[in-house]
């Protein structure tokens, strides 16, 4: 390190002096996510758009659900006592004095010896205390009376007022990620809008003077940006909202400006390492906090993260495979946790399977490896390492395995957990 | 059945004469999905909107990726032979004759005894056959020369033209559900738009004269529609697009009209059973094919399905819990499979865990049960059965378990698979 003073420009081309472990990076990150979470705003949105969003405050019901006693079966509303002793061999007959349909109740009272035809969900008529299901009855030709072929106990086949939800009760608690059935429940208690945690706004900052925007044809020494479109798709998948993912000129002023957009999370793709053109780490350190830079993992070791005026900022390597890996380990973790996609017991937004390895996987103790793998014949096959830098290695792969830092790798036939890219 | 002729109105209040097994229903449905799949249209969309969509045709690359040989490390492009014997104790010096940056190549030729500073991703200069990483070099104060502290073999740390993707090769195959990294890959080969299978258009037909639209306050004997908003959220989760989910007046003409909307899938909520006001099964049989009606399961046995002029039509019980269950078993299966969310090895769009049961679950042989359960103390706790008809039972639950038709239930402490509503 003695040459640091002599030639700082050169020193920036050197490797990292030391690397943070993935565990330590996660530990810093989880604290930062927790702090960020408490500063997120809220918004009121129609319930029809609220599935998957996080409830910002408890929801209480103003009403009973149902608001009236109702039949839970198609059949006859009657007095349970009138069915006493009824069977196929002892048919009891009662008069049918009317009908109750949904929103068209029977307005009179059911007395002993009478019954009201009733449909599921219809209001129970006064006097009746049970519903005898239609399949245990036989109505007369003129529908003026009905034979009872079975007994029914009092209160049976009735849904009582407030049975589902009582007025004044808390139906859903703050912090809950709303499920489709929650949306149904909110609708049933008369909620039109609901207050949810504001969406996580994300700025994707893609740097690189050689880059052409998506939709361009690559030409000469210019290549078309892969990371911006990939990161945008990842952010959307994880519940964030990309407000801008345009390419930024590779100069410190433009990058620093883009890092200060009005968003919750900034992803900087490219220029994350220690080379002379790697502006992002220095800029983050100057304008905010570069908490972590250089991580003991492969790929993606030139990753960094920190904060800038309340934004979480992630520095992602420009190599597309490293970019994907770094996103999923760190930036994606933050976006998933903040948007509610990821719970504490779940590191990844991928489904996993356990399968035996077809060939060994070699790693180094002290370093976490993210290895792309395929499935062949119900076994996990590592993708050739020569493709480490190639995006096509992640499109040929069926998923990935993580080799932890305390592990030298796995022998053939070891059964390990594999995460599926198909989700 | 002798009274059928006498009073058809009454007969329609009776139960199902027989019920189809869930397996048989799935078998019919999977064939119908397969037939439907072949008739789906395609559309061309920008790659930025294509993640999660199904590719309709193979994609070939018109270009090599990369289009030029490039450095894979920051360091010095040179002749590998010039590093022969270099080490910390045998420093070899070469002249630095220029720099290569991304899109700013070095235009001259590297000869023996010279090197070009090069950044990752930059074009390799002519003459050079390897990159010695910066961390194995030490540059002079004036940057005019560099000391080599290690050897590098020929071809090392170079990404060769076409190494990632060769021009003319097929990069992605028809039928693939596009992943975020696929979007990156498509961008890198110059794709602006991509042809995908058209979205699955879904009409949600909610029937019931007692129903008020979402956003209303329940009043009198009217209740607010829960199923429409819930089904719309489920369809969106599963990759379908709801084109209309309005409430339809409970009369045969309106329902039949709604069933003939220009969509791929029709979900009819309510009126699916055999009661006198259950119009949907008869209408489907009249206008199309009522393939299955009545299924050996609990809840949701009054479910049905069939086809109408190429549409898949699902009849869902009006009870919200049954509606949710019936959706996930049948309609959701179709939408997930058609949209690519669901693969053949995966029945549900829920993550599952295996945990022991805290209490027994009782079922009946011959019937599939869908039981709402909670997790307490790392055990599965069934939700009280009295709530079978209540939507709040699905919001209180953490998920569900499936008791297969050949099973009488499970004893306490049995470890079983539970599907998590949180997904």
């Amino acid at each position: 390190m003695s040459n640091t003073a002599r030639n700082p420009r050169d020193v920036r081309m050197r490797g990292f002096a030391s690397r943070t472990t993935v565990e330590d990076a996660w530990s810093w990150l989880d604290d930062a996510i927790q702090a960020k979470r408490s500063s997120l705003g809220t918004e009121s949105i129609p319930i029809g758009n609220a599935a998957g969003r996080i409830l910002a405050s408890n929801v209480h019901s103003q009403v009973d659900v149902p608001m009236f006693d109702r039949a839970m079966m198609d059949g006859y509303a009657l007095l349970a006592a009138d069915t006493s002793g009824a069977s196929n061999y002892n048919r009891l007959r009662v008069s049918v004095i009317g009908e109750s349909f949904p929103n068209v109740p029977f307005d009179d009272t059911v007395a002993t010896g009478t019954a009201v035809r009733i449909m599921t969900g219809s209001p129970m008529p006064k006097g009746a205390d049970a519903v005898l299901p239609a399949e245990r009855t036989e109505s007369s030709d003129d529908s003026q009376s009905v034979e009872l072929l079975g007994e029914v106990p009092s209160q049976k086949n009735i849904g009582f007022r407030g049975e589902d939800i009582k007025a004044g009760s808390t139906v859903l608690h703050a912090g809950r990620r709303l499920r489709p059935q929650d949306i149904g429940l909110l609708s049933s208690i008369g909620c039109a809008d609901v207050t949810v945690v504001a969406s996580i706004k994300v700025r994707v900052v893609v740097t690189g003077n050689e880059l052409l925007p998506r939709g361009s044809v690559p030409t000469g020494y210019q290549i078309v940006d892969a990371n911006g479109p990939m990161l945008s798709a990842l952010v959307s998948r994880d519940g964030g909202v990309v407000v801008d993912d345009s390419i930024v000129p590779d100069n410190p002023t433009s990058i620093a400006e883009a890092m200060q957009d009005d968003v919750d999370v900034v992803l900087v793709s490219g220029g994350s390492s220690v080379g002379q053109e790697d502006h992002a780490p220095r800029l983050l350190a100057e304008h905010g906090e570069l908490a972590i830079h250089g991580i003991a993992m492969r790929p993606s070791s030139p990753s960094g993260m920190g904060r800038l005026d309340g934004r979480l900022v992630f520095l992602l390597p420009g190599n597309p495979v490293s970019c994907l890996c770094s996103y999923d380990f760190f930036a994606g973790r933050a976006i998933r946790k903040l948007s509610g996609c990821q719970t504490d017991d779940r590191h990844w937004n991928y489904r996993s399977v356990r399968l035996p390895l077809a060939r060994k996987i070699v790693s180094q103790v002290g370093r976490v490896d993210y290895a792309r793998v395929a499935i062949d014949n119900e076994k996990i096959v590592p993708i050739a390492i020569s493709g480490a830098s190639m995006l096509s290695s992640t499109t040929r792969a069926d998923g990935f395995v993580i080799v932890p830092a305390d592990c030298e790798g796995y022998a053939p036939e070891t059964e390990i957990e594999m995460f599926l890219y198909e989700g």
Side-chain angles (χ1 to χ4, degrees), chain A:
Chain A
M1 293 293 110
S2 62
N3 62 345
T4 307
R6 284 191 293 152
N7 194 341
R9 178 169 178 242
D10 188 62
V11 136
R12 271 190 247 114
M13 278 186 75
R14 303 195 169 270
F16 291 93
S18 70
R19 289 182 168 82
T20 308
T21 65
V22 169
E23 287 298 332
D24 286 350
W26 276 341
S27 170
W28 178 87
L29 180 57
D30 288 347
D31 288 346
I33 292 167
Q34 198 55 43
K36 178 72 194 168
R37 182 177 283 139
S38 63
S39 74
L40 291 173
T42 64
E43 56 182 324
S44 179
I45 60 173
I47 58 166
N49 302 335
R53 300 293 295 274
I54 299 178
L55 204 54
S57 47
N58 291 351
V59 175
H60 310 280
S61 179
Q62 309 291 320
V63 296
D64 286 320
V65 177
M67 290 183 71
F68 49 89
D69 297 348
R70 60 186 176 181
M72 299 310 287
M73 304 278 285
D74 288 347
Y76 290 86
L78 40 58
L79 282 80
D82 282 355
T83 68
S84 179
S87 74
N88 275 320
Y89 311 103
N90 183 33
R91 297 171 167 223
L92 304 178
R93 183 177 297 271
V94 293
S95 305
V96 177
I97 58 171
E99 298 183 317
S100 178
F101 287 103
N103 201 32
V104 187
F106 177 75
D107 278 337
D108 213 338
T109 299
V110 175
T112 186
T114 68
V116 161
R117 284 173 69 96
I118 196 162
M119 256 184 75
T120 305
S122 308
M124 283 295 290
K126 285 188 292 291
D129 67 351
V131 173
L132 184 65
E135 51 267 39
R136 285 190 279 151
T137 68
E138 196 168 305
S139 76
S140 64
D141 286 359
D142 59 5
S143 297
Q144 297 298 300
S145 66
V146 63
E147 282 181 346
L148 316 180
L149 314 184
E151 298 189 343
V152 66
S154 180
Q155 318 245 313
K156 185 79 176 176
N157 300 325
I158 299 176
F160 291 98
R161 176 175 182 145
E163 182 181 71
D164 198 348
I165 297 161
K166 290 216 184 323
S169 64
T170 303
V171 294
L172 294 169
H173 292 268
R176 182 183 181 95
R177 184 159 188 246
L178 292 170
R179 306 169 186 170
Q181 58 264 43
D182 297 343
I183 305 304
L185 191 80
L186 289 169
S187 184
S188 73
I189 64 171
C191 269
D193 300 296
V194 70
T195 304
V196 296
V197 175
S199 296
I200 307 305
K201 287 187 292 183
V202 181
R203 171 67 153 109
V204 178
V205 181
V206 178
T207 69
N209 286 329
E210 77 281 24
L211 294 179
L212 296 167
R214 77 182 67 172
S216 311
V217 174
T219 172
Y221 293 115
Q222 295 193 282
I223 63 176
V224 185
D225 174 31
N227 290 356
M230 178 177 71
L231 288 170
S232 291
L234 287 162
V235 169
S236 300
R237 179 198 70 182
D238 289 344
V241 174
V242 175
V243 296
D244 190 348
D245 63 355
S246 53
I247 298 169
V248 168
D250 216 348
N251 66 65
T253 311
S254 302
I255 298 171
E257 267 178 28
M259 283 168 112
Q260 293 175 64
D261 267 7
D262 177 24
V263 295
D264 301 299
V265 174
V266 178
L267 311 183
V268 184
S269 158
S272 71
S273 189
V274 290
Q276 65 181 99
E277 296 294 310
D278 291 307
H279 305 300
R282 177 177 53 79
L283 291 169
L284 179 54
E286 273 176 28
H287 292 87
E289 171 197 7
L290 176 64
I292 286 167
H293 192 211
I295 300 179
M297 63 191 297
R298 191 176 73 173
S300 312
S301 77
S303 296
M305 65 194 82
R307 281 184 280 218
L308 201 168
D309 292 340
R311 299 169 198 84
L312 294 175
V313 180
F314 296 89
L315 311 181
L316 307 156
N319 169 328
V321 178
S322 303
C323 183
L324 172 62
C325 170
S326 181
Y327 173 87
D328 260 335
F329 267 79
F330 307 110
R333 182 186 182 95
I335 293 166
R336 291 190 294 269
K337 287 197 171 202
L338 291 171
S339 71
C341 270
Q342 184 173 323
T343 50
D344 282 340
D345 69 329
R346 195 181 183 207
H347 277 303
W348 308 101
N349 204 355
Y350 298 100
R351 190 159 60 102
S352 73
V353 292
R354 291 189 70 85
L355 289 173
L357 265 173
R359 296 200 303 270
K360 70 176 173 183
I361 289 184
V362 178
S363 181
Q364 252 176 36
V365 170
R367 183 184 79 194
V368 171
D369 270 27
Y370 167 92
R372 276 83 63 220
V373 296
I375 297 178
D376 186 33
N377 256 328
E378 295 296 298
K379 291 194 177 178
I380 297 174
V381 183
I383 299 269
I385 287 219
S386 68
S389 69
M390 299 191 291
L391 195 50
S392 63
S393 74
T394 67
T395 62
R396 285 199 311 274
D398 296 315
F400 61 92
V401 300
I402 305 284
V403 187
D406 59 3
C407 174
E408 288 189 292
Y410 301 108
E413 302 302 328
T414 314
E415 191 181 290
I416 60 174
E417 184 171 27
M418 167 182 170
F419 297 93
L420 301 174
Y421 281 136
E422 73 180 21

